Amino acid sequence: MEIAAVLTLGSTGRRGRGVFNSNHSREGLIMNAWIEELSTGLLRSPDADAAFALVLSTARKLGFDYCAYGLRLPLPVSKPRVFLLNNYPPEWVRQYEEAGYLAIDPTVLHGRRTQAPIVWTDSLFANAREMWDAARSFGLTVGWAQSSFDANGVVGMLTLARSGQAMTESELRDGEPNMRYLVSASHYALSRALSSDMQKGPAVLLTARETEILKWLADGMTSKEVSDLLHISFDTVNFHVKNAITKLGAANKTGAVARAILLGLLG
């Protein structure tokens, strides 16, 4: 699975097929059946291929026919190991590698700098027109990607993609919390499967308050709403969330929730 690319582009999907519409806030995340099903499946997956099959299945339910997960290990420093799992057209993957698009791929460059999500646009690929034109020649026109960093220096990136109509603001507003969760769950499960070093480490022990707060966050509440519900200050909620993030080796609140669920810490 080791290849010379972290991320490629591609899709042959259609808009409007997602089944996980959310009416909660952008900060929140609904703990519903699909999250439980995905988390349980990832925990039981015997290898990375099986885990990726679950990620792909979830991506399709979210309205995307294609996805890719790229993993970049921090070692060796001179030439970090890179892995990629995807269901893209093999000819596009071959062309991406042979043309050396990795060096100019703006989605990869973006993902190495920040965990902010990014949507494919013409302006994004302004300095990589040849690559963008080649991708579109395969019908690869619409995509969304987000990277995930962890405390071990491992960088992962998940791309959800399709062809057809562009993503609308309402689709991003309603669907992005679920997409972000899939990024965190994918990174946690696939990085562990692809890197034996990720299997090592002490058990995570959350306090009762940390567990309680993560449960409410998983149910879609914001930190302010949790503060009001538990009659504790907003700063106290954030204090416990930050402690949980550190213990779980996550990069942010969503990542902490995803890892806690995957580890079975939220019951």
Side-chain angles (χ1 to χ4, degrees), residues 184-200:
S184 295
S186 300
H187 180 62
Y188 183 72
L190 291 171
S191 64
R192 288 172 65 89
L194 290 169
S195 171
S196 59
D197 289 341
M198 298 295 290
Q199 302 286 359
K200 304 173 184 179

Side-chain angles (χ1 to χ4, degrees), residues 101-222:
Y101 288 145
L102 173 64
I104 62 171
D105 189 336
T107 63
V108 174
L109 299 177
H110 174 87
R112 289 177 179 173
R113 294 192 305 266
T114 174
Q115 294 183 88
I118 192 166
V119 176
W120 298 354
T121 63
D122 287 338
S123 60
L124 174 66
F125 293 94
N127 295 324
R129 296 303 306 179
E130 178 183 336
M131 172 189 167
W132 185 223
D133 290 342
R136 290 189 297 179
S137 73
F138 287 91
L140 317 178
T141 58
V142 179
W144 177 97
Q146 184 181 20
S147 60
S148 183
F149 309 155
D150 62 33
N152 299 296
V154 177
V155 179
M157 190 169 188
L158 185 74
T159 296
L160 306 176
R162 66 180 182 232
S163 63
Q165 296 179 338
M167 283 179 276
T168 64
E169 290 185 7
S170 62
E171 180 185 8
L172 287 172
R173 181 184 64 248
D174 295 338
E176 200 166 73
N178 290 326
M179 293 152 68
R180 285 174 178 264
Y181 178 85
L182 183 58
V183 170
S184 295
S186 300
H187 180 62
Y188 183 72
L190 291 171
S191 64
R192 288 172 65 89
L194 290 169
S195 171
S196 59
D197 289 341
M198 298 295 290
Q199 302 286 359
K200 304 173 184 179
V204 177
L205 298 176
L206 298 177
T207 66
R209 182 63 92 182
E210 289 163 358
T211 300
E212 181 181 28
I213 289 173
L214 289 184
K215 283 183 178 180
W216 288 119
L217 294 176
D219 280 341
M221 284 191 172
T222 67

